[in-house]
Amino acid sequence: SPVVIGGDYITTESGTGLVHTAPGHGQEDYQTGLKYGLEILAPVDDAGRFTEEAGARFEGKSVLGDGNQEVITALNETGTLLKEEGYVHKYPYDWRTKKPTIF
């Protein structure tokens, strides 16, 4: 069943005011997960690839590349994708490499 909860960091000032919460990825999401007793799941390795926990279909794929597209494909196949739209996401970046930091 769907879970709808709020966080102090969610506003309509930037975006829709609707966000997913991934307690295993990011400080604010982690704190929200603790507050509401959500499972802490982090199926991504240090190289930014899905682990076995994500399922065989996604394992080894880059979360910022082919893994992302595979998730969209899987949602499409099950009829659960409501809309796909390009969006420039604000990720924290490493100042030296200029690459997104996944934590």
Side-chain angles (χ1 to χ4, degrees), residues 3-87:
V3 176
V4 178
I5 56 177
D8 297 337
Y9 55 93
I10 303 168
T11 71
T12 57
E13 300 300 312
S14 174
T16 63
L18 299 173
V19 299
H20 72 280
T21 297
H25 302 279
Q27 186 64 30
E28 291 91 355
D29 288 12
Y30 177 74
Q31 293 298 327
T32 300
L34 289 179
K35 180 177 180 180
Y36 292 99
L38 302 177
E39 179 182 2
I40 309 298
L41 177 68
V44 179
D45 66 18
D46 291 343
R49 299 191 176 282
F50 285 114
T51 64
E52 183 180 1
E53 281 182 295
R57 179 174 185 166
F58 307 107
E59 185 177 3
K61 296 185 184 305
S62 168
V63 298
L64 296 177
D66 56 343
N68 204 20
Q69 185 56 52
E70 192 64 30
V71 169
I72 291 168
T73 300
L75 291 170
N76 246 332
E77 289 173 0
T78 59
T80 53
L81 181 66
L82 301 178
K83 181 177 182 179
E84 177 188 356
E85 182 176 293
Y87 177 79

Side-chain angles (χ1 to χ4, degrees), residues 48 63-64 90-103:
V63 298
L64 296 177
K90 296 178 183 175
Y91 286 104
Y93 281 81
D94 179 291
W95 67 274
R96 284 179 260 162
T97 65
K98 309 296 185 235
K99 293 182 179 180
T101 302
I102 302 170
F103 59 95

